């Protein structure tokens, strides 16, 4: 995280203040459960680097010492490992699993999954659902006349055109 020892307060509030807002509640719950169950935890979350950007961390830790009378936690010990490269690769693999490699539009599996979600949502709220299909007339002639490379470029241009026309939702 680019921090020197003088940059930290060496307490749990300093740690929690550096956690990404979207991960904070989950991480605090995870650590509290670890303390309560006296079991170690391992979790991925984001923390703020000294220069302001977010770093994906795999944090692990456990309770080391409790108050003998109140059983309140006195000391925790843990490690942080930068897993940003792994998270970037996971995101890329997830994209590849859901999108066509050429057009970057959803592939058939993802399209069917989202279509089923929409059908369920329409049934629940008693809305109608419309769909339409687009066929590029005589596309085979483009491939046959100009080659598959030109056909691929045509598909990419057409996909970009479609993406500009529709709302992201």
């Amino acid at each position: 995280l680019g921090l020197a020892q003088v940059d930290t307060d060496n307490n749990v509030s300093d740690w929690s203040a550096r956690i990404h807002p979207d991960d904070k509640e989950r991480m605090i719950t995870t650590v509290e459960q670890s303390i309560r169950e006296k079991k170690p935890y391992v979790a991925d979350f984001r923390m703020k680097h000294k220069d302001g950007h977010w770093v994906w961390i795999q944090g692990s830790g456990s309770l080391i010492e409790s108050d003998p009378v109140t059983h309140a936690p006195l000391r925790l010990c843990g490690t942080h490992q930068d897993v940003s490269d792994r998270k970037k690769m996971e995101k890329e693999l997830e994209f590849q699993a859901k999108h066509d490699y050429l057009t970057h539009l959803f592939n058939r599996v993802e399209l069917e999954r989202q279509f089923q979600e929409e059908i369920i949502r329409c049934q629940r709220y008693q809305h109608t659902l419309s769909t339409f299909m687009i066929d590029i007339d005589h596309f085979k002639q483009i491939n046959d006349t100009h080659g598959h490379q030109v056909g691929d470029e045509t598909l990419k241009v057409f996909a970009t055109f479609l993406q500009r026309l529709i709302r992201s939702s």
Side-chain angles (χ1 to χ4, degrees), residues 4 7 13 19-20 31 44 47 49 83-84 103 140 154 158 160:
D7 297 323
S13 62
I19 298 176
H20 191 283
V31 172
D44 292 351
M47 292 188 81
H49 191 278
V83 293
S84 299
T103 63
K140 184 179 181 323
T154 302
F158 190 66
T160 301

Side-chain angles (χ1 to χ4, degrees), residues 8 12 18 37 57 71 78 85 119 139 141 149 154 161:
T8 66
V12 74
R18 297 178 194 283
E37 296 176 359
I57 298 292
H71 304 290
D85 289 341
I119 289 172
F139 182 73
Q141 289 178 353
Q149 195 168 9
T154 302
F161 170 75

